[in-house]
Amino acid sequence: MEEREIIAKNIKMMREASGFTQENVASFLGIGRSAYSNYETGDRELPLVFMEKLADLYGCDAYLMYEEDRSVVENMLATAFRADSLSAEDMKQIAAFKCVVKNYLKMDMLIRK
């Protein structure tokens, strides 16, 4: 499978598992829904800056977007945050919180080594 298709599949899976609409995610990224849709279908390559923002939103490392093993992504999504009627600001706050948690877990892992 082509890299762009893998990323497209994973960002769609992450979005759906989190209960977000394409409109929610597009607004969070500061782009139109149709532009975001092109990333989910693999018609356009997802820019790194958006990949990093999505990684924060979903509470994962950006490299997970390249994961071909569906079960790895699904396991990460077991604790996905789900909510209705989120504004772009709500999503920014969720992404910021998940980024803090992700970084804390990384630091904890380094300390334990």
Side-chain angles (χ1 to χ4, degrees):
M1 186 179 302
E2 194 176 310
E3 186 176 281
R4 191 171 18 185
E5 293 171 330
I6 294 166
I7 293 169
K9 175 185 61 107
N10 286 336
I11 63 172
K12 181 177 181 180
M13 184 186 337
M14 291 175 183
R15 178 186 58 78
E16 289 176 341
S18 297
F20 300 146
T21 65
Q22 285 187 341
E23 187 66 42
N24 293 139
V25 177
S27 178
F28 169 72
L29 295 174
I31 59 175
R33 190 212 52 81
S34 61
Y36 177 75
S37 177
N38 287 324
Y39 301 134
E40 274 196 10
T41 59
D43 291 336
R44 298 199 57 200
E45 187 173 327
L46 182 66
L48 181 59
V49 66
F50 290 161
M51 192 177 300
E52 291 170 344
K53 286 182 83 171
L54 290 176
D56 288 344
L57 179 63
Y58 299 126
C60 66
D61 289 312
Y63 71 82
L64 193 64
M65 307 289 177
Y66 296 93
E67 181 58 59
E68 291 188 68
D69 185 346
R70 184 177 179 96
S71 66
V72 171
V73 179
E74 288 173 348
N75 287 336
M76 185 279 304
L77 292 172
T79 59
F81 179 84
R82 294 168 182 84
D84 293 328
S85 304
L86 295 174
S87 69
E89 185 59 33
D90 293 334
M91 294 182 75
K92 285 179 187 175
Q93 294 299 320
I94 291 167
F97 175 75
K98 286 187 175 184
C99 186
V100 168
V101 171
K102 179 176 63 174
N103 289 333
Y104 169 79
L105 293 173
K106 285 180 183 178
M107 288 183 343
D108 187 54
M109 187 172 57
L110 290 172
I111 291 169
R112 292 178 188 258
K113 284 186 177 183

